Amino acid sequence: MTELAARLLTLPAFPEEMPDLDLEALPEDPTELFLTWLEDAIASGARQPHAMTFQTLLADGSPVGRTLILKDLDEAGFHVSTRNTSRKAQQVREDPRAAMTFFWRESGRQVQIAGTVVALGEDVSQRDWLARPTSDGQPNPEWQVYALRPERFEFMQARADRNHVRAGYVREGGRWSHGPVTTPAG
């Protein structure tokens, strides 16, 4: 074992006390569970509970991620924003498949959301731009709000014994189906 590997093994992982994920009490709509977990993270005082890793695909199919902030969540999907000239904007134009990963270490919770990204209207984009702390009050024609329309969710609740509990949701025919996510041994 290398010195780094030994050192990494000694680092603290999850908090001693964490909430449970009751697989028998999952809501039908995964957005409901997501909002509950987000509200829990906000109430706990977690720093930037609305931050996530946003993953898109390069032209060769390789994934690339960066940290973004969730701007809103509505019937259009999970909102993020960027300049329409940015690399991530170009990537979603070329291949609209994307994913978000939220991680709240204070509670040992993680949510992965995958789906398709769509550009929202100019009114939504400019409202977002004008609400930014750095806005000078003038519209920015390069600013774009996008929404990830979810097709798949995975919720993970960490456990001290590392037998984490996972629940998955998949959209099929306009409806959500859900159940436990199991991983093969080994």
Side-chain angles (χ1 to χ4, degrees), residues 71-144:
K71 296 302 202 88
D72 200 0
L73 169 56
D74 61 16
E75 64 281 347
F78 289 71
H79 297 203
V80 296
S81 57
T82 187
R83 294 185 186 280
N84 58 25
T85 56
S86 72
R87 286 181 301 189
K88 64 183 157 291
Q90 177 184 351
Q91 290 158 3
V92 298
R93 278 192 300 273
E94 291 174 2
D95 188 335
R97 294 176 298 164
M100 297 175 164
T101 303
F102 291 84
F103 177 56
W104 300 293
R105 69 180 36 86
E106 298 83 357
S107 59
R109 288 177 166 169
Q110 177 176 286
V111 181
Q112 297 177 5
I113 307 164
T116 304
V117 175
V118 296
L120 298 182
E122 182 71 15
D123 58 330
V124 175
S125 297
Q126 291 311 308
R127 193 168 41 251
D128 180 70
W129 173 256
L130 295 171
R132 291 174 64 83
T134 57
S135 172
D136 63 2
Q138 299 298 311
N140 181 344
E142 289 187 353
W143 199 248
Q144 181 64 59

Side-chain angles (χ1 to χ4, degrees), residues 5-185:
R7 188 169 166 217
L8 293 175
L9 279 173
T10 67
L11 296 177
F14 296 107
E16 288 185 29
E17 292 188 30
M18 293 177 281
D20 289 322
L21 174 56
D22 183 354
L23 297 175
E24 301 299 319
L26 295 173
E28 292 302 315
D29 184 344
T31 305
E32 183 181 328
L33 182 55
F34 174 83
L35 287 171
T36 298
W37 283 19
L38 178 61
E39 288 296 337
D40 288 351
I42 292 169
S44 77
R47 191 168 183 92
Q48 290 193 311
H50 56 328
M52 99 296 280
T53 302
F54 184 75
Q55 300 101 18
T56 55
L57 298 171
L58 298 174
D60 68 0
S62 302
V64 61
R66 77 282 287 152
T67 303
L68 295 181
I69 298 296
L70 178 68
K71 296 302 202 88
D72 200 0
L73 169 56
D74 61 16
E75 64 281 347
F78 289 71
H79 297 203
V80 296
S81 57
T82 187
R83 294 185 186 280
N84 58 25
T85 56
S86 72
R87 286 181 301 189
K88 64 183 157 291
Q90 177 184 351
Q91 290 158 3
V92 298
R93 278 192 300 273
E94 291 174 2
D95 188 335
R97 294 176 298 164
M100 297 175 164
T101 303
F102 291 84
F103 177 56
W104 300 293
R105 69 180 36 86
E106 298 83 357
S107 59
R109 288 177 166 169
Q110 177 176 286
V111 181
Q112 297 177 5
I113 307 164
T116 304
V117 175
V118 296
L120 298 182
E122 182 71 15
D123 58 330
V124 175
S125 297
Q126 291 311 308
R127 193 168 41 251
D128 180 70
W129 173 256
L130 295 171
R132 291 174 64 83
T134 57
S135 172
D136 63 2
Q138 299 298 311
N140 181 344
E142 289 187 353
W143 199 248
Q144 181 64 59
V145 174
Y146 295 91
L148 178 89
R149 293 187 173 160
E151 297 161 9
R152 186 173 36 85
F153 283 79
E154 183 178 308
F155 293 86
M156 191 229 30
Q157 176 61 66
R159 291 177 23 149
D161 64 3
R162 301 287 178 127
N163 288 315
H164 309 318
V165 179
R166 291 178 171 83
Y169 286 80
V170 177
R171 186 186 301 270
E172 299 172 325
R175 299 179 57 91
W176 290 104
S177 62
H178 61 78
V181 175
T182 57
T183 55

